Amino acid sequence: MPADAVAGISVTADGRLLGVMMVCGHQIDGATLSVASDDIDKQVTVGSWTADRPLTPGLATWTLDSPAAGWTATRSLAPLTAKATYALYGWTKDNSWSANSISFTLADRDRLTPGKVRYDSISDIGGESAITVSIAEFKAKACQNM
């Protein structure tokens, strides 16, 4: 399914994990956090959220560990462990669109500061790399290579 959004993570002032979604052109209905695995059948979901109404182009953020306005936790966040790598991605109910995912560890989360977003930047030459930028830069640049 084509990607039309970019998922990222951030933290609140008190260090709670924040989901960040930049919708580029269409819509995203929700997001899922899973233990990253190359084998799709072995991916374990540790949290899932559905937006109360579809996310339209623009920026959305929500706390992953507690109810957030405008979001319903369809699966409440399980405790995260230090050894795992997690992947946050966005989806639509009819599988028409998705969001590029971001993979991270708790160490990656611990390096984040409020106002910064970690996401996978896709370059013109097709390479992907996780970068950390300000929320303003994420809003300005995340959709550039969509």
Side-chain angles (χ1 to χ4, degrees):
M1 87 190 95
D4 191 51
V6 179
I9 59 164
S10 186
V11 291
T12 62
D14 56 2
R16 291 164 50 211
L17 192 58
L18 204 57
V20 183
M21 193 71 64
M22 185 69 199
V23 180
C24 302
H26 292 86
Q27 71 176 55
I28 292 292
D29 294 323
T32 297
L33 182 67
S34 58
V35 176
S37 171
D38 290 336
D39 183 345
I40 198 116
D41 296 326
K42 293 199 167 89
Q43 288 183 346
V44 178
T45 298
V46 291
S48 190
W49 304 268
T50 303
D52 293 348
R53 57 181 171 272
L55 304 178
T56 53
L59 184 74
T61 62
W62 73 101
T63 49
L64 299 186
D65 63 353
S66 64
W71 292 83
T72 301
T74 41
R75 179 172 186 147
S76 292
L77 187 66
L80 304 184
T81 60
K83 291 190 171 108
T85 298
Y86 298 96
L88 179 70
Y89 63 94
W91 43 264
T92 52
K93 291 172 185 164
D94 65 1
N95 290 329
S96 57
W97 299 99
S98 66
N100 288 344
S101 67
I102 177 62
S103 296
F104 66 96
T105 63
L106 289 185
D108 294 328
R109 179 204 64 189
D110 293 345
R111 284 192 286 270
L112 284 168
T113 54
K116 297 289 186 184
V117 179
R118 178 184 170 89
Y119 76 105
D120 265 351
S121 173
I122 300 172
S123 71
D124 294 328
I125 52 173
E128 272 186 48
S129 58
I131 60 172
T132 302
V133 300
S134 69
I135 286 192
E137 187 173 337
F138 178 69
K139 278 177 78 168
K141 295 193 172 161
C143 291
Q144 276 182 347
N145 290 309
M146 284 307 216

